[in-house]
Amino acid sequence: MDNLLKKGAGHPLGQARHLKNSWLSRTLARTSITWKIRIGMLIISISILISFMAVSITYTYKNMMSSSIEAARKNLVFSQNNLDNMLNMVENYSILLLSDEKIQDILSSRNAPKDSVLSQNQIMMRNRINAIVGSFETISAVLIYDIYGNIYDSGITLLNEESAQENLPEDLPVWMPTEDAPYYIAVPGKTIRPSVVSFTRHIFDYQTGRRIGTVRICIDESYISRTYSDSIVDGESMYMISRDNILISNPDSSLLYTKCTLPTEQFTSDRNYISVDKNYIMYEDYDRLDAWLISSLPKHIIQDKLNSMIRYMLMIGSCLILLCIAISSLISRNLTHNLSNLTSAMKTVWNGNWKVKVENHSQDEVGVLTHTFNKMLAEIEKKTDSLVQEQKVKREFQLELLNQQINPHFLYNTLDNICALAELNRIEELSEMVNNLTDFYRGVLSKGSIVISLERELHIAENYLKIMQIRYYHSFSYTLEAPASVMENTALRLTLQPLLENAVYHGFETHEPGGMIRIRIRPFSSFLIVSVCDNGAGMDRSTLSSLFGESPPGSIKKGFGLRNVHERIQLYYGKSYGMKAYSRYGRGTQILIKIPRCNWRDKTYAEITHS
């Protein structure tokens, strides 16, 4: 075998191939970068001439398909926004109706109205309905139900009371998709029963909170279809189908309630369009009507546009080849110098020296790359310094938190009270204080967790208040208002206790009876507001303005005061969260805490802050 290999290596063909490869390698090694760029661009130009047609057609088709689909989808989203605006207007009118004083007076009767009174009520109710919604032509009819089975309408030709009662939903407020209206409308020579979309909600007595009726607002389906039919482009069609593939809105009303054949099981939230036969189907999930908003775009429209673009792209491609050859010399001369400087700087960074800045006087692609490189190094240095400082501050807060967990003064004073209760043989109060103290420190430790559930934080706060009530001879009381839906929300451990300590020690330092602390939690869509309010001594303006002031640089924060709670919240959740204080001297103090609304097991906010 070795002999055969040696003979093959000595064959004239093998020698020629070896010489050819060696010559090519030596030639390329001796050729300057400038000439390499020129030759390379010339080869690229010739390759473009050969492959331009296939590449351009493929790219153009994909681009036109994407842009056409995107335009259709934007049109779909625009139509959805128009529809949302219409439905929002209807909901606003429903609020005007249910809060109208005369309507409230008619519906709040404790007894069923007699026939004579009912007739008068129907006239007054019809006048009030038309006075409120008469200028909004989108609303076809308004039905108001009282709790005695009577129905008041806005002036419908013929009300089908049986249908109106049967189709009334129970879970309110709710939008009902297209269905036959519970009334008939007179047209020349006959009466018709239109298709409507309706919104229904309860009416409550604004004085007692008692449910006194129900309002139902109907919109003719033609107004629904008009919101998107006006924005349809040539060749496109738009309509709405229910979850079970029934057509519930279409500019052609004769097609309503027909069965569609769209593969709705393929509708996913990550794509928003599918290909069906000769059409592209764009869709949006419209939950308010429990339906799909559909836009259908024929594929031949895209193909027609493609054919008109092919000729144009042929001319552009030829010009690009000539232009590529012409500018190759200019690019090669300007490119090599800046690239060398950038390469040298990258090697310096690779060796560990980040204090590098490349001189840049050009604004071409290499200049932009050089500028971006310099900016990236500066940003990395800035982020590194910020991260180091953040970790330092975080360690200070964690150390401060550990000190607060084992606050000796609070523990000593509580133990003194326990001894005093034992000597006075007040067993019940002694047992309560010991249990509260145990629960308080169990919650404070929390297995080392910084972030805990809001329910646990409230439990810690309540145990603290119970202890302080006994120590202060029940000179103050407290209330706690928190909906069950926020109990699993995120909270930083020992957020409330410093606020309560401040309220007790400074607000009620005279130990006079009548003190009150109110803790209230109000949920919003993306955040919670925790309010801690007391009727204690309050603060003057100078004391209030210094609560959240800057600490001297390098100082060690003493205690676990309001400023530190504010800084901990901003450290973990971001600058848009924190605390605000309101106080009047002699009248009391209110502290508002804003925290994000998310489950306490979700670490997203902390991760974003730390990154």
Side-chain angles (χ1 to χ4, degrees):
M1 181 63 69
D2 292 338
N3 292 332
L4 290 175
L5 291 174
K6 291 177 181 179
K7 290 180 181 179
H11 194 273
L13 184 60
Q15 291 178 351
R17 186 182 297 110
H18 177 71
L19 291 174
K20 181 179 179 181
N21 292 337
S22 299
W23 173 84
L24 181 60
S25 300
R26 289 196 300 270
T27 302
L28 291 175
R30 291 194 298 266
T31 304
S32 65
I33 296 178
T34 301
W35 276 103
K36 288 178 182 178
I37 293 174
R38 293 176 181 176
I39 295 172
M41 295 188 72
L42 182 60
I43 294 174
I44 292 173
S45 300
I46 297 173
S47 301
I48 290 175
L49 183 61
I50 297 173
S51 59
F52 179 78
M53 278 298 298
V55 174
S56 61
I57 292 174
T58 303
Y59 174 79
T60 303
Y61 180 80
K62 290 183 178 179
N63 185 60
M64 293 182 66
M65 181 186 71
S66 176
S67 61
S68 298
I69 291 175
E70 183 62 22
R73 287 204 63 254
K74 288 182 179 179
N75 191 25
L76 192 65
V77 173
F78 176 77
S79 300
Q80 183 179 2
N81 291 337
N82 289 341
L83 186 56
D84 277 334
N85 291 335
M86 177 188 293
L87 300 189
N88 289 337
M89 285 290 292
V90 172
E91 292 184 9
N92 291 337
Y93 273 105
S94 72
I95 295 175
L96 293 177
L97 288 168
L98 64 87
S99 60
D100 183 80
E101 184 175 354
K102 290 187 178 180
I103 295 177
Q104 285 272 334
D105 290 340
I106 294 173
L107 297 179
S108 60
S109 174
R110 291 287 182 174
N111 300 309
K114 298 179 180 180
D115 292 341
S116 59
V117 176
L118 181 61
S119 299
Q120 295 177 1
N121 288 347
Q122 288 175 339
I123 295 174
M124 288 189 295
M125 186 73 78
R126 183 170 297 175
N127 291 336
R128 287 309 301 159
I129 292 173
N130 290 324
I132 294 173
V133 304
S135 61
F136 190 48
E137 64 176 2
T138 302
I139 296 178
S140 302
V142 175
L143 304 179
I144 295 181
Y145 305 74
D146 64 15
I147 59 176
Y148 306 108
N150 300 311
I151 303 177
Y152 305 91
D153 63 77
S154 57
I156 303 167
T157 301
L158 181 59
L159 176 65
N160 188 339
E161 294 190 5
E162 181 178 358
S163 176
Q165 295 287 0
E166 289 178 352
N167 297 333
L168 193 64
E170 297 180 359
D171 189 11
L172 303 180
V174 66
W175 277 98
M176 295 296 294
T178 308
E179 60 182 356
D180 289 333
Y183 55 84
Y184 294 86
I185 296 178
V187 297
K190 61 178 179 179
T191 58
I192 63 172
R193 189 176 187 182
S195 297
V196 297
V197 173
S198 62
F199 176 71
T200 309
R201 73 188 310 160
H202 286 313
I203 302 176
F204 296 91
D205 190 325
Y206 58 77
Q207 293 182 347
T208 65
R210 178 175 61 93
R211 188 176 75 84
I212 57 177
T214 303
V215 59
R216 181 178 185 181
I217 302 178
C218 299
I219 308 173
D220 196 292
E221 187 278 330
S222 62
Y223 286 101
I224 300 294
S225 60
R226 192 180 303 172
T227 59
Y228 51 80
S229 61
D230 292 341
S231 60
I232 293 176
V233 298
D234 293 340
E236 182 186 10
S237 60
M238 197 175 296
Y239 50 92
M240 190 180 296
I241 63 173
S242 64
R243 301 298 187 191
D244 51 357
N245 229 339
I246 301 299
L247 189 65
I248 61 173
S249 181
N250 191 276
D252 185 357
S253 60
S254 63
L255 299 177
L256 291 178
Y257 310 119
T258 58
K259 184 72 173 181
C260 298
T261 58
L262 292 179
T264 55
E265 67 278 0
Q266 298 181 21
F267 290 1
T268 58
S269 59
D270 58 344
R271 190 176 183 186
N272 295 115
Y273 83 93
I274 60 174
S275 177
V276 178
D277 297 330
K278 298 181 179 181
N279 299 286
Y280 287 110
I281 303 297
M282 280 63 67
Y283 54 90
E284 284 290 335
D285 188 357
Y286 198 66
D287 284 334
R288 295 181 78 169
L289 296 181
D290 195 25
W292 297 100
L293 189 58
I294 306 296
S295 175
S296 177
L297 181 66
K299 295 180 180 179
H300 71 80
I301 295 179
I302 301 176
Q303 187 63 45
D304 293 340
K305 294 180 181 180
L306 177 65
N307 293 335
S308 64
M309 288 291 295
I310 289 177
R311 293 184 296 273
Y312 177 77
M313 296 187 69
L314 278 173
M315 294 185 292
I316 295 297
S318 301
C319 295
L320 288 175
I321 293 174
L322 297 176
L323 182 62
C324 183
I325 297 174
I327 64 175
S328 59
S329 298
L330 180 63
I331 293 177
S332 61
R333 285 195 300 267
N334 295 329
L335 189 62
T336 53
H337 177 71
N338 293 331
L339 280 176
S340 298
N341 292 339
L342 188 58
T343 302
S344 177
M346 288 181 176
K347 290 181 180 179
T348 303
V349 172
W350 176 260
N351 292 329
N353 182 10
W354 292 81
K355 304 291 184 180
V356 177
K357 184 176 182 180
V358 184
E359 293 294 330
N360 178 38
H361 302 288
S362 64
Q363 297 182 359
D364 57 8
E365 290 81 1
V366 179
V368 173
L369 182 62
T370 303
H371 174 73
T372 305
F373 178 77
N374 290 332
K375 187 176 180 181
M376 180 188 67
L377 291 180
E379 190 68 18
I380 291 175
E381 184 178 5
K382 180 180 178 182
K383 291 289 186 182
T384 302
D385 294 340
S386 176
L387 182 61
V388 171
Q389 182 63 25
E390 181 181 88
Q391 293 298 324
K392 179 180 177 181
V393 173
K394 184 177 178 181
R395 284 194 297 271
E396 290 180 5
F397 278 124
Q398 289 174 339
L399 178 61
E400 203 165 55
L401 181 62
L402 292 175
N403 291 333
Q404 175 65 19
Q405 292 174 1
I406 53 174
N407 188 337
H409 299 291
F410 170 71
L411 182 59
Y412 294 161
N413 293 335
T414 305
L415 290 177
D416 285 342
N417 286 114
I418 290 175
C419 291
L421 292 174
E423 292 175 356
L424 296 174
N425 200 29
R426 294 163 65 175
I427 303 303
E428 184 176 350
E429 294 182 4
L430 173 64
S431 176
E432 182 181 357
M433 177 171 278
V434 171
N435 289 333
N436 289 330
L437 181 64
T438 302
D439 288 345
F440 173 77
Y441 275 97
R442 184 183 294 113
V444 166
L445 295 176
S446 298
K447 301 180 180 179
S449 300
I450 300 297
V451 179
I452 61 176
S453 67
L454 186 56
E455 181 180 16
R456 194 170 187 90
E457 177 63 16
L458 292 174
H459 186 65
I460 294 173
E462 191 169 11
N463 285 325
Y464 178 80
L465 288 173
K466 290 179 179 179
I467 294 173
M468 299 309 292
Q469 278 186 320
I470 297 176
R471 289 182 54 189
Y472 276 64
Y473 308 104
H474 293 278
S475 62
F476 70 91
S477 58
Y478 69 91
T479 62
L480 196 156
E481 302 177 23
S485 59
V486 303
M487 289 305 176
E488 290 297 310
N489 200 80
T490 181
L492 295 183
R493 182 178 48 174
L494 289 180
T495 297
L496 295 177
Q497 189 271 337
L499 278 64
L500 300 175
E501 179 180 345
N502 187 75
V504 173
Y505 280 106
H506 301 291
F508 305 141
E509 58 184 352
T510 60
H511 293 212
E512 294 181 2
M516 170 60 71
I517 297 177
R518 293 182 175 88
I519 303 174
R520 183 185 179 190
I521 299 176
R522 291 179 292 168
F524 295 89
S525 58
S526 60
F527 60 90
L528 300 181
I529 295 296
V530 182
S531 171
V532 179
C533 181
D534 67 73
N535 61 351
M539 292 175 281
D540 55 30
R541 290 187 177 181
S542 60
T543 304
L544 182 64
S545 61
S546 65
L547 285 180
F548 304 112
E550 295 292 334
S551 300
S555 65
I556 300 300
K557 299 175 179 62
K558 185 177 182 180
F560 199 76
L562 302 183
R563 180 192 305 157
N564 292 6
V565 176
H566 176 68
E567 292 178 354
R568 287 180 64 230
I569 293 174
Q570 292 197 331
L571 175 66
Y572 277 88
Y573 297 134
K575 296 296 184 181
S576 59
Y577 302 96
M579 292 169 44
K580 288 186 178 180
Y582 305 90
S583 184
R584 291 183 62 183
Y585 188 76
R587 299 291 297 275
T589 302
Q590 182 182 29
I591 305 294
L592 299 181
I593 307 173
K594 180 182 179 183
I595 58 177
R597 187 170 186 179
C598 68
N599 191 283
W600 70 279
R601 297 180 179 86
D602 185 4
K603 306 301 181 182
T604 303
Y605 286 94
E607 291 172 357
I608 291 175
T609 304
H610 295 158
S611 63

